[in-house]
Amino acid sequence: MKRDYRAPTPAQRCKPYFDAVRGLDEPTAVQWVDWQTWLPRDILRKADRMSMAHSLELRVPFLDRQVLAAAQALPRRYRCTGRRGKIALRAAAARRLPPQLADAPKRGFPVPLADWLRQEKYYALVKAKLTGPVAEHFFDTGALCALLDAHRAGKTNAMTKLWAFYCFIEWYEVYFTGKIPPDL
């Protein structure tokens, strides 16, 4: 950033939530903070927007009040231990599913942005945005280009950071300059 905007850090933003669950074990406290912050303000909002944009009906069965109450009532040792989570759910799944499915790691829906940013077409497109007038107004464009080049060279995986900058620039151009992005 070219200016210091004095935005609160993530730790500062989350402190009141963690203060509210002081005394709970760490996984339960983190889960509660996620329910109050990340779930409604990020992942559920995105899922809702994407499903509505494509006329899909999205169901979130694990957020059913009765299912959630049953899960919350489980002792911690059946919910998670160390780095292993969803212990009771995986045990129930193992009764009906093959082990490679019941014990499969969490995956989500990854998009190959990290690979795309290493391809000439997308690298050039992103670099043009990271050196354009909007980027120049807000950011240290030299640092952004260095990050992009390090990513392209395979020295680091900066996809998340680069994508955030790129999306901000696109958003700013659409909503503050009226520029309509071209179809890719």
Side-chain angles (χ1 to χ4, degrees), residues 14 23 38 50 69-70 76 90 103 117 120 124 135 139 143 152 155:
C14 290
W38 179 73
M50 290 290 93
R76 178 178 165 205
R90 289 180 187 281
D103 291 327
L117 286 177
E120 182 57 38
F139 308 118
R152 186 176 193 198
K155 294 177 183 172

Side-chain angles (χ1 to χ4, degrees), residues 113 117 121-136 138-139 144 161-184:
L113 289 172
L117 286 177
K121 175 183 176 180
Y122 300 109
Y123 168 83
L125 184 122
V126 170
K127 187 164 187 169
K129 290 292 180 183
L130 298 182
T131 57
V134 172
E136 186 63 40
F138 289 102
F139 308 118
L144 291 180
K161 291 178 183 177
L162 292 165
W163 188 244
F165 286 114
Y166 179 81
C167 287
F168 171 82
I169 294 165
E170 285 285 355
W171 168 82
Y172 189 90
E173 287 178 348
V174 169
Y175 291 101
F176 290 90
T177 69
K179 183 178 178 185
I180 305 299
D183 291 336
L184 296 179

Side-chain angles (χ1 to χ4, degrees), residues 1-134:
M1 302 295 293
K2 285 193 168 181
R3 282 183 27 205
D4 183 2
Y5 288 92
R6 299 281 179 202
T9 66
Q12 290 168 328
R13 286 185 188 270
C14 290
K15 185 180 182 322
Y17 295 101
F18 280 104
D19 288 347
V21 289
R22 190 165 299 188
L24 293 180
D25 62 90
E26 184 180 356
T28 304
V30 169
Q31 218 171 28
W32 187 86
V33 171
D34 274 353
W35 292 337
Q36 306 306 311
T37 59
W38 179 73
L39 199 62
R41 295 182 191 155
D42 186 75
I43 196 70
L44 289 178
R45 181 181 291 166
K46 289 175 185 172
D48 188 48
R49 286 180 180 168
M50 290 290 93
S51 62
M52 286 191 304
H54 298 283
S55 300
L56 296 173
E57 179 66 29
L58 179 67
R59 300 286 181 192
V60 191
F62 294 121
L63 293 183
D64 176 88
R65 291 179 192 275
Q66 292 174 328
V67 172
L68 186 58
Q72 285 179 294
L74 291 172
R76 178 178 165 205
R77 69 181 182 275
Y78 296 125
R79 289 184 284 131
C80 64
T81 58
R83 307 246 342 131
R84 184 164 162 78
K86 301 179 185 177
I87 295 169
L89 179 63
R90 289 180 187 281
R95 291 185 201 148
R96 304 252 183 210
L97 299 173
Q100 65 269 24
L101 293 177
D103 291 327
K106 187 175 177 176
R107 285 187 297 215
F109 301 99
V111 177
L113 289 172
D115 294 332
W116 291 347
L117 286 177
R118 292 184 178 106
Q119 296 175 18
E120 182 57 38
K121 175 183 176 180
Y122 300 109
Y123 168 83
L125 184 122
V126 170
K127 187 164 187 169
K129 290 292 180 183
L130 298 182
T131 57
V134 172

